[in-house]
Amino acid sequence: MHRRTALVLALALLASACGRDAAPDGTAHAAHAVTPSRANVAKLTDGQRLARILDVDNIGRRLDIFERIAGEPDDATATTSTYTVAGCTIDVETADRAIVWINVELTGSACTVDLTPVLRHRRVVRPGEPLTYGELERLVGDRAEYKVLCLGSTCGDNGQPDFEAVFPGGASSNYIAVAGASDPLSAGAQRQVKEWVHALTAANGDFRVLTELRCTRAYDPLARKALASAVVQKIGFGENEDADCDPDDEEEDVDPSVESAGVIRT
């Protein structure tokens, strides 16, 4: 499930149950990359095409221009398109036909991805050399913000909580965020993630976890511990959906019963 689609679906279902309306908003960045010509693209290898796709300057670019590099989609809806390039599956999300988010799946048997354009540190992910969340934090040089996108029955057939580890973009990166996600997790990692999510929902309720608590970082240490050795199955980049979080929001009080239960420990 796409990251924005998961959040919209979860909020819509919960809003219906609670008699509220909730919907995230986002606007596209202006693209700054040079428009590729069809003649130049024809000379690129598949690996070079994949590198061009992972250029952050594609955020805000028109989808028809992007497809000069990516080619025709394997599948498409009004807001999502899926491509296969160099053995890798690429998911693209759009708003008004402008790109707002790009995901690349890292688990394909023939997929080798150089993540240097995204992480700004040299890292090639290939079969047998997976990327973990602990390594992802070390490469980015910052701690991720762990966010829940859907809960329980809103997450699809397996009911696994849908989450992502987000590195919000600042001014130096033109406010482009980077996020890692996994579905499905290994049995061990899935148990630990459910413990993290249970700590969130037991104290705060499902609706608050998916809305108000998107800006709080109080529960991140528990998620970080649970996911340190878990494999990142897809990585994406695009608009920072939480750029509107105020510093005061991040200090939001957490139910005292949660802190006394020891779930805030690093």
Short mmCIF file of all heavy atoms in Angstrom, two decimals, residues 54 112-126 128-132 135-136 139:
data_model
loop_
_atom_site.label_atom_id
_atom_site.label_comp_id
_atom_site.label_asym_id
_atom_site.label_seq_id
_atom_site.Cartn_x
_atom_site.Cartn_y
_atom_site.Cartn_z
N LEU A 54 15.97 8.23 -9.17
CA LEU A 54 16.20 8.50 -7.74
C LEU A 54 16.75 9.91 -7.49
O LEU A 54 17.17 10.21 -6.38
CB LEU A 54 17.15 7.45 -7.16
CG LEU A 54 16.62 6.02 -7.17
CD1 LEU A 54 17.63 5.08 -6.54
CD2 LEU A 54 15.29 5.93 -6.45
N THR A 112 19.23 -4.18 -7.99
CA THR A 112 20.40 -3.59 -7.33
C THR A 112 20.23 -2.07 -7.40
O THR A 112 20.08 -1.51 -8.49
CB THR A 112 21.70 -4.01 -8.03
OG1 THR A 112 21.87 -5.42 -7.86
CG2 THR A 112 22.90 -3.28 -7.41
N VAL A 113 20.23 -1.42 -6.24
CA VAL A 113 19.93 0.01 -6.17
C VAL A 113 21.07 0.76 -5.49
O VAL A 113 21.46 0.43 -4.36
CB VAL A 113 18.64 0.27 -5.36
CG1 VAL A 113 18.24 1.74 -5.45
CG2 VAL A 113 17.51 -0.62 -5.85
N ASP A 114 21.57 1.77 -6.16
CA ASP A 114 22.54 2.68 -5.55
C ASP A 114 21.75 3.83 -4.93
O ASP A 114 21.16 4.66 -5.63
CB ASP A 114 23.50 3.22 -6.61
CG ASP A 114 24.61 4.09 -6.01
OD1 ASP A 114 24.53 4.43 -4.81
OD2 ASP A 114 25.55 4.43 -6.74
N LEU A 115 21.73 3.88 -3.59
CA LEU A 115 20.92 4.87 -2.86
C LEU A 115 21.68 6.17 -2.60
O LEU A 115 21.19 7.04 -1.88
CB LEU A 115 20.45 4.28 -1.54
CG LEU A 115 19.47 3.10 -1.64
CD1 LEU A 115 19.15 2.57 -0.25
CD2 LEU A 115 18.20 3.51 -2.36
N THR A 116 22.86 6.31 -3.17
CA THR A 116 23.67 7.51 -2.92
C THR A 116 22.91 8.81 -3.21
O THR A 116 23.00 9.76 -2.41
CB THR A 116 24.97 7.45 -3.74
OG1 THR A 116 25.66 6.23 -3.46
CG2 THR A 116 25.87 8.64 -3.41
N PRO A 117 22.14 8.91 -4.32
CA PRO A 117 21.44 10.18 -4.58
C PRO A 117 20.43 10.53 -3.49
O PRO A 117 20.16 11.70 -3.25
CB PRO A 117 20.73 9.92 -5.91
CG PRO A 117 21.48 8.81 -6.55
CD PRO A 117 21.94 7.96 -5.41
N VAL A 118 19.87 9.51 -2.84
CA VAL A 118 18.84 9.74 -1.82
C VAL A 118 19.46 9.97 -0.45
O VAL A 118 19.08 10.90 0.28
CB VAL A 118 17.87 8.54 -1.76
CG1 VAL A 118 16.80 8.77 -0.70
CG2 VAL A 118 17.24 8.29 -3.11
N LEU A 119 20.43 9.13 -0.07
CA LEU A 119 21.00 9.18 1.27
C LEU A 119 22.20 10.12 1.38
O LEU A 119 22.63 10.45 2.48
CB LEU A 119 21.44 7.77 1.70
CG LEU A 119 20.34 6.70 1.68
CD1 LEU A 119 20.91 5.37 2.15
CD2 LEU A 119 19.16 7.12 2.54
N ARG A 120 22.77 10.49 0.22
CA ARG A 120 23.97 11.33 0.18
C ARG A 120 25.17 10.65 0.83
O ARG A 120 26.12 11.31 1.25
CB ARG A 120 23.69 12.69 0.84
CG ARG A 120 22.59 13.47 0.15
CD ARG A 120 22.43 14.86 0.72
NE ARG A 120 21.37 15.57 0.02
CZ ARG A 120 21.03 16.83 0.29
NH1 ARG A 120 21.67 17.50 1.24
NH2 ARG A 120 20.06 17.42 -0.37
N HIS A 121 25.09 9.36 0.95
CA HIS A 121 26.21 8.52 1.38
C HIS A 121 26.19 7.27 0.52
O HIS A 121 25.13 6.76 0.17
CB HIS A 121 26.10 8.14 2.87
CG HIS A 121 26.41 9.26 3.80
ND1 HIS A 121 25.47 10.20 4.15
CD2 HIS A 121 27.55 9.60 4.44
CE1 HIS A 121 26.02 11.08 4.98
NE2 HIS A 121 27.27 10.73 5.17
N ARG A 122 27.36 6.77 0.20
CA ARG A 122 27.47 5.62 -0.69
C ARG A 122 26.87 4.38 -0.05
O ARG A 122 27.28 3.95 1.03
CB ARG A 122 28.94 5.36 -1.02
CG ARG A 122 29.20 4.12 -1.86
CD ARG A 122 28.77 4.32 -3.29
NE ARG A 122 29.19 3.20 -4.13
CZ ARG A 122 28.78 3.04 -5.38
NH1 ARG A 122 27.97 3.90 -5.93
NH2 ARG A 122 29.19 2.00 -6.09
N ARG A 123 25.83 3.81 -0.66
CA ARG A 123 25.26 2.54 -0.22
C ARG A 123 24.52 1.91 -1.38
O ARG A 123 23.58 2.47 -1.92
CB ARG A 123 24.31 2.75 0.96
CG ARG A 123 23.64 1.45 1.47
CD ARG A 123 24.66 0.41 1.92
NE ARG A 123 24.10 -0.61 2.79
CZ ARG A 123 23.72 -1.82 2.40
NH1 ARG A 123 23.83 -2.17 1.12
NH2 ARG A 123 23.24 -2.69 3.28
N VAL A 124 24.98 0.72 -1.77
CA VAL A 124 24.33 -0.05 -2.82
C VAL A 124 23.61 -1.22 -2.16
O VAL A 124 24.22 -1.99 -1.41
CB VAL A 124 25.35 -0.57 -3.86
CG1 VAL A 124 24.64 -1.43 -4.91
CG2 VAL A 124 26.07 0.60 -4.52
N VAL A 125 22.32 -1.32 -2.40
CA VAL A 125 21.53 -2.43 -1.87
C VAL A 125 21.32 -3.43 -3.00
O VAL A 125 20.83 -3.07 -4.08
CB VAL A 125 20.16 -1.94 -1.34
CG1 VAL A 125 19.33 -3.12 -0.86
CG2 VAL A 125 20.36 -0.93 -0.22
N ARG A 126 21.72 -4.66 -2.74
CA ARG A 126 21.58 -5.72 -3.75
C ARG A 126 21.15 -7.00 -3.04
O ARG A 126 21.21 -7.08 -1.80
CB ARG A 126 22.91 -5.93 -4.49
CG ARG A 126 24.09 -6.15 -3.59
CD ARG A 126 25.35 -6.50 -4.40
NE ARG A 126 25.71 -5.52 -5.38
CZ ARG A 126 26.56 -4.50 -5.15
NH1 ARG A 126 27.10 -4.34 -3.93
NH2 ARG A 126 26.86 -3.66 -6.10
N GLY A 128 21.06 -10.16 -1.03
CA GLY A 128 22.04 -10.68 -0.08
C GLY A 128 22.74 -9.61 0.73
O GLY A 128 23.50 -9.94 1.64
N GLU A 129 22.53 -8.34 0.42
CA GLU A 129 23.14 -7.23 1.15
C GLU A 129 22.06 -6.22 1.54
O GLU A 129 22.02 -5.10 1.04
CB GLU A 129 24.23 -6.56 0.33
CG GLU A 129 25.39 -7.47 -0.03
CD GLU A 129 26.45 -6.77 -0.86
OE1 GLU A 129 26.50 -5.53 -0.82
OE2 GLU A 129 27.20 -7.46 -1.56
N PRO A 130 21.13 -6.63 2.43
CA PRO A 130 19.99 -5.76 2.76
C PRO A 130 20.40 -4.57 3.63
O PRO A 130 21.46 -4.56 4.25
CB PRO A 130 19.06 -6.71 3.53
CG PRO A 130 19.99 -7.69 4.18
CD PRO A 130 21.08 -7.91 3.16
N LEU A 131 19.52 -3.59 3.64
CA LEU A 131 19.68 -2.39 4.46
C LEU A 131 18.79 -2.52 5.68
O LEU A 131 17.61 -2.85 5.56
CB LEU A 131 19.27 -1.16 3.63
CG LEU A 131 19.29 0.21 4.33
CD1 LEU A 131 20.72 0.64 4.63
CD2 LEU A 131 18.58 1.24 3.46
N THR A 132 19.32 -2.27 6.88
CA THR A 132 18.51 -2.29 8.10
C THR A 132 18.18 -0.88 8.54
O THR A 132 18.82 0.09 8.12
CB THR A 132 19.24 -3.02 9.25
OG1 THR A 132 20.40 -2.25 9.62
CG2 THR A 132 19.66 -4.43 8.84
N GLU A 135 21.19 0.75 10.24
CA GLU A 135 22.17 1.26 9.29
C GLU A 135 21.64 2.50 8.58
O GLU A 135 22.40 3.44 8.31
CB GLU A 135 22.51 0.18 8.26
CG GLU A 135 23.59 0.62 7.28
CD GLU A 135 23.83 -0.36 6.15
OE1 GLU A 135 23.10 -1.38 6.06
OE2 GLU A 135 24.73 -0.10 5.34
N LEU A 136 20.35 2.51 8.27
CA LEU A 136 19.76 3.66 7.60
C LEU A 136 19.95 4.92 8.43
O LEU A 136 20.32 5.98 7.90
CB LEU A 136 18.27 3.41 7.35
CG LEU A 136 17.50 4.52 6.64
CD1 LEU A 136 18.10 4.82 5.28
CD2 LEU A 136 16.02 4.13 6.52
N LEU A 139 23.61 6.00 8.18
CA LEU A 139 23.95 6.59 6.89
C LEU A 139 23.42 8.02 6.76
O LEU A 139 24.10 8.91 6.25
CB LEU A 139 23.39 5.74 5.75
CG LEU A 139 24.08 4.40 5.50
CD1 LEU A 139 23.27 3.56 4.54
CD2 LEU A 139 25.49 4.61 4.95
#
